[in-house]
Amino acid sequence: MMIKDILHQKIISKKSIVMDWFKKKSSSIFFPFYSSFDLRDSGEKIVPVDANIFPAGFNNVCEVDLESIPAILEQYIEQTYGGIKKVILLTEEHEKNIYYWDNVSTLKKIMEQAHLEVIVCVPGRNIQEEKEVENSLGQKIQLNLLRSNLKGVDLVISNNDFSLDYDIPEEIPLNPSPLMGWKYRRKDQFFKEYNMLAVEFAHLIGVDPWHLTIKTELFEPFDPEDPSTLKNLKHRLELFLQDLRSYYKDQEPFAFLKNNSGTYGLGITWVQSPDEVDHWNYKTRKKMKASKGGRKVNKLILQEGIATALSDSQFCSEPVIYTIGAELVGGFLRTHSKKGVRENLNSPGAVYQKLCMSDLIVQVEGKDEENVYGWISRLALLSLAYEIKNRK
């Protein structure tokens, strides 16, 4: 039996217990406006492999889910800020990325359906004048400058992940906060919080925590051009993989190397042998050298590689789940025809298949994927909140 089926049965049998546990854990922490989580299901393990506080991709969320989001968004706004009406949606400055603007169009529509007046703004670093952009459907979006449109605004909702420094005014609330951006966040801190919560949850439902945890270690300093760094990295990888072999008796484990503070699929690669580091070509070294905005990569995490069991002769897939506040609001399966079961699927060429979290409202018992992936995402969401709360 796949671990997904076992987890589904365990969670259903202890539904009231796990809900009470989540409510108790959530009682004293702040949840950001929205989040998304990339999961991996190996058949033996189901874990998050990435957590994003400034998620794009809302245009790929299940259409049925999109119908439910405005009411959840409206409730979050009311409970967090009271009666507000006018908001700014602060975006990235990806002027030529038409698919990013699909995401912005979807977010703007959701907010307007939640009875908010929405102005789409950019920070004004690369785009320094008001202009129109088009999404992939040819729909036009008016981009305004943030500082010119603050009058009468109650809240700035950011879809900009603050990888770069921006001079953001403090006159009005901003959610998610720049302090949640990649200038400050560290993946090793998130996975530390996640693994602790996953162990607690596993004991609560009566399963081996190994099925829900993901081995993650910090490696620093990192410089792909420095021979001594690479020598140290190889040594750490040997120890890391050796430890994994004690758990993976029937298959050879592998490890992902990830920028400890970055996004957009930059600064990430995987290895099955430490010796592969000696054979990194120029392209790999360049990819591991800098992150979004040209920021230097100087810290990595070594992370247990999780091969996806969601694959067939055409596609490899992984679940992506979205939240607003503490609520599950949507999802999809990210699939790729050019990538293998061990590779990073968040790359050009990915397509998206239906996975609807709103199905859980109708029937939990018959929805094993949605139920289990939803609960792993709740654990990841708690971990994000605790990461922010406990940041050193």
Side-chain angles (χ1 to χ4, degrees), residues 3 13 88 112 138 174 183 228-229 268 282 308 343 389:
I3 189 59
S13 68
I88 283 175
E112 289 172 341
L174 198 155
K183 182 180 178 182
S228 64
T229 293
I268 179 171
Y282 172 78
T308 179
E343 294 182 89
K389 180 181 178 181

Side-chain angles (χ1 to χ4, degrees), residues 2 36 40 61 76 97 201 257 268 370:
M2 304 284 275
S36 70
R40 277 290 178 121
V61 166
Y76 176 86
N97 185 342
F201 185 79
L257 312 181
I268 179 171
E370 293 84 351

Side-chain angles (χ1 to χ4, degrees), residues 310-352:
L310 307 181
S311 63
D312 55 30
S313 59
Q314 291 185 303
F315 292 102
C316 293
S317 303
E318 63 186 8
V320 182
I321 307 297
Y322 287 71
T323 62
I324 288 181
E327 301 294 328
L328 304 175
V329 297
F332 53 79
L333 287 176
R334 179 189 288 124
T335 69
H336 213 298
S337 61
K338 306 287 186 188
K339 299 289 184 178
V341 297
R342 294 188 166 197
E343 294 182 89
N344 176 26
L345 304 185
N346 188 12
S347 55
V351 296
Y352 306 93

Side-chain angles (χ1 to χ4, degrees), residues 30-53:
F30 175 78
F31 291 103
F33 179 75
Y34 46 20
S35 311
S36 70
F37 306 97
D38 295 358
L39 310 183
R40 277 290 178 121
D41 179 352
S42 72
E44 296 182 299
K45 284 191 170 217
I46 303 178
V47 296
V49 293
D50 196 18
N52 191 356
I53 301 181

